[in-house]
Amino acid sequence: VDDQLEFWWELAMLVVIMLLGHWIEMRSLEQTTSALDSLAALLPDEAERVEGDQIVTVDPADLQVGDVVVVRPGGSVPADGEIVDGQAAMDESMITGESHTVTRGEGEVVIAGTVATDSGLRVQINAIGDDTTLAGINRLVAEAQGSSSRAQRIADRAAALLFWFALGAAAITAIVWFSIGEPDAAVVRIVTVLVIACPHALGLAIPLVVSIATERAARGGVLIKDRLALESMRHVDAVFFDKTGTLTKGDPVVNEDTVLTLAAAAEADSEHPLAKAIVGAADQLGLSIPAASGFSSSPAVGVTAMVDGHEIRVGGPHLLDETQQPEVDQADAWRADGAIILHVVRDGIVIGGLKLADEIRPESYDAVKALHRLGAEVVMITGDAEAVANAVGRQLGIDRIFAGVRPEDKAAKVSQLQDEGKRVAMVGDGVNDAPALAQADVGIAIGAGTDVAIASAGVILASSDPRSVISVIELSRAAYGKMKQNLWWAAGYNLLAVPLAAGVLAPIGFVLPMSVGAVLMSLSTIVVALNAQLLRRIDLAPEASTQAVLQNA
């Protein structure tokens, strides 16, 4: 009776440990899924839609593009849209990972799920359902978790090899034990070998790490489109930054001008940040901007339009090269200040210039320092004049500067560094960055950038904070470390345990019981699952990742 009780005790322990292993695995995956589902929970249960003179409470699912909704102080935005009335400090931490609020006013875009912390807004909806940013985040993370990677292929290959290893070990075990006249022991040893060689832990080693890593990244404002990009970031030793809108704020201010009215008329139909700055400056001064026609834009050269019967062109140094015109007299002084200089050409003759200052992001200083601590070369690429680029580069401590680069040549500069043996990451936000993003080993698009840039990138930063690049590198290194640990454990455990299960130590009196073999198999799953959970301790907020690098280096 005692022997039978001991047998059932072992069986009960086996069932408990196997269930514990599966529970940890399922809980890990469920936490990842629920964390993403919690993004959808950020949306309010109801929305207040403006209908004529009345405000009607509706379900957010009933909203249509073009509807205007009221967002109360402390309330969440029900769908992506543009502010048409009011200004508020928006809490966007759930999307960007940044803890501080961002002031948004009329004409600016707000994202579904963000919170107006201090005052009310009226927002015109421009995206609903699957077209919203939150839906896009969930879709990107799901795609990343489903995509393949080098480490996953290695794990799959190892699992396949383990099958043949176990089958071969079982066959050898049978031959040896039957040959020494122990058929009963042979059956027990064969079953023990097959049980202990179950590749469950090996199959779990990579997917669980990836699921947790992508979920943690999404919470930190980093969206992983391609798992290969996440793996490659740990090798990156050169980071390309597009200057405008990435290292600088991308909101230039017109400080001095001689022909603002004509420039604003020509730039009125342009979406370029410099164009918006010029038109904004004219509006602030109350200038009357004449109508323009025949607008056209040439990347890296400038814009052309007909204003009051004259051809007006506005652009940088390439425009002067094309028209063979001299600079304005103030150009050298403006350039010494590190300003962007645009010239206004009327009917082929330079009639004046504009001085625009683009302020460096405060976060850029720490981002460059942290990348240097990580051993990466920091490179800045821009279409601006060399003097402007050098002024920004000196302040930030940039290692290498490519100035006056046309959009079509940016990919060539990335290729140039790759030819030097560098693993290159490219950070950009514009249409003209898309070829370079695709050329780089890892393309990183700023979330505020264009759809073309985002489509060309493997990683998307929800915020415009350049320190998020540090978060991606740290996550890549941590995730790879966990993958490697899990693979070594899962494979190494089998290589050691299978010979013991086969009875290799039987001559000295040690034989691994079948029940113990089953317990060890389940324990390996538990170890792999718990080890992957340690990734949850990483804080991927841009400021936290950067400070950790600066303090630990």
Side-chain angles (χ1 to χ4, degrees), residues 219-489:
R219 284 184 170 271
V222 177
L223 306 179
I224 308 297
K225 275 181 60 183
D226 182 4
R227 276 163 53 176
L228 284 173
L230 177 61
E231 286 187 31
S232 299
M233 274 304 291
R234 66 189 176 86
H235 293 302
V236 164
D237 52 11
V239 180
F240 257 95
F241 283 102
D242 178 51
K243 181 182 78 70
T244 306
T246 306
L247 293 175
T248 62
K249 291 185 176 180
D251 296 319
V253 178
V254 178
N255 288 339
E256 293 185 43
D257 75 274
T258 54
V259 281
L260 183 58
T261 302
L262 287 177
E267 296 278 14
D269 291 335
S270 175
E271 292 296 321
H272 195 282
L274 297 181
K276 293 180 179 179
I278 293 169
V279 175
D283 287 338
Q284 286 183 353
L285 293 173
L287 300 179
S288 177
I289 302 175
S293 61
F295 173 84
S296 65
S297 175
S298 177
V301 177
V303 302
T304 302
M306 295 300 296
V307 181
D308 294 335
H310 297 280
E311 182 189 63
I312 302 298
R313 304 186 69 181
V314 183
H318 291 302
L319 175 61
L320 296 183
D321 293 340
E322 189 174 297
T323 57
Q324 296 183 342
Q325 287 292 300
E327 293 183 321
V328 293
D329 295 337
Q330 305 96 316
D332 288 336
W334 291 352
R335 193 176 294 111
D337 295 336
I340 299 169
I341 302 171
L342 296 181
H343 286 80
V344 180
V345 178
R346 180 171 61 190
D347 297 330
I349 305 297
V350 170
I351 60 171
L354 300 103
K355 174 187 176 184
L356 297 97
D358 191 5
E359 185 180 351
I360 295 174
R361 292 182 183 276
E363 306 89 5
S364 298
Y365 296 94
D366 283 344
V368 173
K369 289 179 185 176
L371 285 170
H372 284 155
R373 293 284 179 89
L374 291 173
E377 180 181 5
V378 183
V379 185
M380 185 176 75
I381 188 167
T382 179
D384 293 342
E386 189 171 342
V388 176
N390 288 338
V392 173
R394 280 195 303 270
Q395 291 183 63
L396 291 174
I398 303 291
D399 298 305
R400 201 185 307 194
I401 298 168
F402 293 109
V405 180
R406 290 176 178 266
E408 62 269 23
D409 295 331
K410 287 187 176 182
K413 296 299 183 184
V414 172
S415 180
Q416 178 181 325
L417 257 69
Q418 291 173 324
D419 291 341
E420 296 175 10
K422 300 283 188 181
R423 301 279 185 94
V424 180
M426 170 71 191
V427 187
D429 64 346
V431 172
N432 57 14
D433 296 324
L437 290 170
Q439 173 66 39
D441 296 283
V442 181
I444 303 175
I446 299 295
T450 63
D451 291 341
V452 176
I454 290 172
S456 303
V459 178
I460 300 169
L461 306 182
S463 73
S464 298
D465 190 337
R467 295 177 300 180
S468 295
V469 176
I470 315 300
S471 300
V472 181
I473 294 175
E474 289 294 279
L475 177 64
S476 177
R477 293 181 176 182
Y480 177 76
K482 291 302 172 192
M483 290 179 188
K484 190 163 65 173
Q485 291 167 13
N486 281 355
L487 283 175
W488 273 112
W489 168 261

Side-chain angles (χ1 to χ4, degrees), residues 51-211:
E51 297 182 0
D53 296 331
Q54 296 183 329
I55 296 176
V56 180
T57 300
V58 298
D59 190 294
D62 296 331
L63 292 174
Q64 300 294 321
V65 173
D67 287 346
V68 175
V69 297
V70 175
V71 180
R72 308 282 182 184
S76 299
V77 179
D80 292 1
E82 181 179 309
I83 299 173
V84 293
D85 186 28
Q87 178 176 293
M90 303 298 296
D91 179 2
E92 300 178 348
S93 58
M94 67 291 295
I95 304 296
T96 65
E98 295 180 356
S99 57
H100 58 276
T101 59
V102 180
T103 301
R104 301 290 185 198
E106 289 185 27
E108 294 190 89
V109 173
V110 287
I111 298 170
T114 55
V115 179
T117 60
D118 59 350
S119 60
L121 299 169
R122 291 201 174 200
V123 177
Q124 184 173 44
I125 304 304
N126 60 22
I128 57 174
D130 291 340
D131 295 328
T132 62
T133 300
L134 278 178
I137 290 173
N138 274 322
R139 187 164 54 250
L140 285 171
V141 174
E143 289 172 359
Q145 291 178 345
S147 64
S148 183
S149 66
R150 284 185 290 269
Q152 181 62 60
R153 289 194 289 270
I154 291 172
D156 292 342
R157 179 65 176 162
L161 291 174
L162 179 61
F163 167 78
W164 294 109
F165 171 69
L167 206 61
I172 294 172
T173 300
I175 294 170
V176 171
W177 282 94
F178 274 113
S179 66
I180 62 175
E182 296 282 353
D184 292 342
V187 172
V188 173
R189 292 300 97 211
I190 292 169
V191 173
T192 304
V193 166
L194 294 175
V195 167
I196 210 166
C198 174
H200 188 205
L202 198 57
L204 187 65
I206 304 302
L208 190 55
V209 170
V210 169
S211 293

Side-chain angles (χ1 to χ4, degrees), residues 12-33:
M13 282 296 295
L14 172 61
V15 171
V16 168
I17 292 177
M18 289 187 71
L19 288 176
L20 178 61
H22 282 289
W23 179 79
I24 293 174
E25 175 190 352
M26 291 299 103
R27 178 172 170 78
S28 301
L29 295 173
E30 182 184 358
Q31 282 179 330
T32 301
T33 303

